[in-house]
């Protein structure tokens, strides 16, 4: 997408004092655009209890409140008329809150008692928030909307601009600290052509919304973003995670056109996945049930590289029978009658607690009894799952060299655990593997491979544990980056072990979804890549454009870097990006 808005001359941005020429963040949704910036307007400061309003001015104070409510509600209603579906519902519900009589009555009572209208609005909203939170469920979900109305009305009372996403009538790049759900209801991809945030991580609300709307998005750019004022023309390359100012308009347009070409190549790519000189890499999908497996089967995926079985059971309070489990697993096998299917045994715990498995609260659940560790105290649970997998396999018609089920354990940390798990799998005729996601497993991969038939590197957790940084923490996103050379070195160690032992080494973490990193992983010796289905075609396209020796050069450059950003830049430089 581009803008041809002639009033925004790209060269003028360079003249701004202190405007950074290039900023880098985390790429979330690929694509390149050029357009001027619009900033999300900050929420107003919440008022405190000011001096009492004199009695003769209280009617006027309440009239100011009703005028502010009218202005806010009219604006939102006007906007609701221009959109359909969910966005319209969200806006109409917000209007209904603004016009709520009980809320206005509370404000009126406080103002009659001498409070300023803005503070009365704050207090009345606080009372409703407390009530809604107590009621729980759907009511509690409305708290964000209540606060949103409060902020809009207070801003109006103060004569400040309306908070949230400004209304624009030409394409703009939206800059924000981070986006709140209420900011995003009316994001129109034809007007907001990219989203860039100072904070946030790959799993932040902004990232989720941008993925849903397919708006190019870069997050976690850092505080320097604030130095780029509204209306500055920027070039956002959300595939590389860069935001540039001062790029001459013709060059910006050329780069946007190149990105559009690339998008077209990706959407027409059909596989199979190999480097330009024919080095094959299996391209697999991460799935969580029959539906996502069928979606994968309809895509370029050759099979399933990670079936997260715990996600089938997140709301189960009692353990499903072997037969019930088999029925779930069989759906996934059936989606790929000839393709490889790698089933991961329950990775319950930490950020994915399963009610019938994780009974106790733990101080540090990410370092606690999760994954295979649960089976140490409850081997029968694991055995029943393996029986369920074997039963599902026997019930499904499967053909070809990958007819066998590949089964792997999460959170393997010792050689003994690997050997124990492999024995249980082999006793049922299952191909046995381990996830390499604890640094100890990467360091001992060579010994583990004496027992295992394959390994698959979980770069999400491997990064979390290597960098000692919570993968869910937005403020540690700069550490939980799989480009961290320390993580890549552990991948390299694992691949060297795999090549010596002739054992397949896959990657099934988010790293496999990054086309550039996929080249590095291939160069390091990874033999299969598994990622969310929508990410696969971009990975396959990128690999098809480089030779294997180039992948090796990219890997060497990344391994040798001092940090994640340098690793990405060094690898990109090898192919002239
Ligand atoms: C990983 O840790 O990289 C992985 C693939 O597993 P999960 O994200 O389910 O922990
Ligand atoms: Mg993991």
């Amino acid at each position: 997408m581009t803008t041809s808005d002639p009033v925004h001359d790209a060269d003028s941005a360079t003249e701004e004092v202190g405007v950074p020429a290039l900023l880098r963040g985390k790429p979330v949704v690929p694509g390149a655009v050029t357009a001027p910036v619009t900033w999300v307007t900050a929420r107003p400061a919440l008022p405190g209890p000011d001096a009492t309003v004199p009695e003769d001015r209280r009617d006027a104070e309440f009239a100011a409140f009703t005028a502010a409510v009218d202005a806010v509600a009219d604006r939102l209603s006007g906007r609701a008329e221009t959109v359909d579906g969910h966005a319209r519902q969200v806006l109409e519900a917000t209007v209904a809150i603004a016009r709520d009589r009980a809320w206005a009555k509370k404000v009126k009572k406080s103002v009659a008692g001498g409070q300023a209208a803005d503070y009365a609005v704050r207090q009345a909203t606080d009372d409703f928030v407390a009530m809604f939170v107590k009621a729980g469920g759907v009511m509690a979900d409305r708290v964000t909307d209540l606060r949103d109305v409060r902020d809009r009305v207070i801003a109006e009372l103060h004569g400040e601009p309306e908070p949230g996403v400004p209304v624009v009538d030409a394409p703009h790049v939206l800059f924000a600290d981070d986006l709140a759900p209420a900011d995003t209801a009316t994001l129109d991809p034809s007007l907001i052509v990219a989203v860039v945030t100072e904070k946030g991580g790959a799993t932040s609300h902004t990232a989720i919304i941008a993925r849903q709307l397919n708006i190019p998005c870069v997050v976690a750019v850092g505080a320097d973003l604030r130095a780029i004022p509204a209306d500055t023309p920027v070039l956002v390359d959300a595939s590389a995670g860069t935001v540039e100012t001062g790029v001459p308009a013709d060059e910006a347009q050329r780069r946007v056109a190149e990105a559009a070409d690339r998008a077209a190549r990706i959407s027409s790519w059909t596989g199979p996945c190999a480097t330009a000189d024919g080095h094959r890499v299996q391209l697999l999908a991460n799935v969580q049930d029959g539906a996502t497996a069928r979606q994968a089967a309809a895509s370029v995926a050759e099979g399933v590289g990670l079936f997260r079985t715990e996600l089938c059971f997140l709301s189960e309070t009692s353990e499903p029978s072997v037969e019930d489990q088999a029925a779930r697993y069989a759906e996934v096998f059936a989606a790929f009658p000839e393709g490889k299917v790698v089933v991961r045994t329950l990775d319950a715990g930490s950020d994915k607690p399963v009610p019938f498995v994780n009974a106790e609260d733990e101080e540090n659940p990410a370092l606690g009894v999760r994954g295979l560790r649960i089976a140490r105290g409850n081997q029968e649970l694991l055995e029943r799952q393996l029986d369920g997998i074997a039963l599902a396999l026997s019930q499904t018609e499967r053909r070809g060299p990958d007819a066998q089920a590949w089964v792997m354990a999460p959170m393997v940390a010792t050689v003994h655990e690997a050997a124990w798990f492999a024995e249980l799998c082999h006793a049922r005729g299952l191909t046995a593997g381990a996830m390499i996601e604890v640094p100890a497993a990467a360091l001992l991969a060579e010994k583990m491979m004496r027992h295992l038939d394959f390994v698959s590197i979980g770069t999400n957790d491997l990064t979390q544990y290597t960098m000692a940084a919570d993968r869910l923490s937005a403020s540690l996103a700069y550490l939980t980056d799989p480009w961290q050379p320390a993580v890549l070195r552990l991948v390299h160690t694992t691949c060297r072990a795999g090549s010596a032992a002739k054992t397949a080494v896959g990657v099934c973490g988010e790293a496999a979804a990054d086309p550039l990193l996929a080249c590095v992983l291939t160069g390091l010796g990874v033999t299969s890549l598994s990622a969310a289905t929508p990410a696969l075609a971009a990975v396959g396209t990128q690999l098809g454009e480089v030779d294997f020796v180039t992948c090796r050069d990219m890997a060497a450059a990344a391994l040798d870097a001092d940090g994640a950003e340098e690793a990405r830049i060094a690898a990109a430089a090898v192919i002239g990006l």
Side-chain angles (χ1 to χ4, degrees), residues 297-314:
S299 79
V300 296
E302 297 169 42
V304 169
L306 169 63
F307 171 15
R308 291 181 161 107
T309 57
E310 67 281 357
L311 299 186
C312 296
F313 307 118
L314 286 182

Side-chain angles (χ1 to χ4, degrees), residues 62-75 152-158:
F62 186 66
F65 163 75
T66 47
V69 165
D70 283 347
V72 167
D74 288 351
R75 253 196 317 263
R152 288 173 195 274
V153 171
I154 291 176
E156 187 69 28
L157 281 166
H158 291 178

Side-chain angles (χ1 to χ4, degrees), residues 10-11 247-257:
D11 288 333
V247 180
D250 54 349
E251 189 192 326
Q253 299 291 355
R254 181 184 56 73
R255 285 172 53 191
V256 168

Side-chain angles (χ1 to χ4, degrees), residues 266-352:
I266 290 169
S267 62
S268 61
W269 188 83
T270 52
C273 181
T275 59
D277 55 339
H279 176 86
R280 274 279 283 137
V281 181
Q282 247 183 348
L283 200 57
L284 307 166
N286 292 352
V287 306
Q288 61 188 68
D289 52 22
T292 47
R294 286 187 288 275
Q295 236 171 47
S299 79
V300 296
E302 297 169 42
V304 169
L306 169 63
F307 171 15
R308 291 181 161 107
T309 57
E310 67 281 357
L311 299 186
C312 296
F313 307 118
L314 286 182
S315 53
E316 307 278 345
T317 46
S318 58
E319 185 190 339
S321 67
V322 168
E323 290 71 24
D324 286 350
Q325 291 190 45
R328 307 266 194 138
Y329 307 149
E331 277 197 57
V332 174
F333 286 132
F336 284 97
E338 296 189 28
K340 178 162 134 186
V341 174
V342 182
V343 185
R344 178 174 73 184
T345 56
L346 290 176
D347 187 19
S350 190
D351 52 329
K352 292 171 291 190

Side-chain angles (χ1 to χ4, degrees), residues 46-49 103 106-107 110-111 115-130 150 154:
L46 289 181
W103 183 61
K106 263 185 188 291
V107 173
S110 303
V111 172
Q115 266 174 8
D118 59 357
Y119 186 62
V121 165
R122 180 186 176 175
Q123 275 204 318
T125 311
D126 284 352
D127 290 352
F128 273 89
V129 165
R150 174 199 63 193
I154 291 176

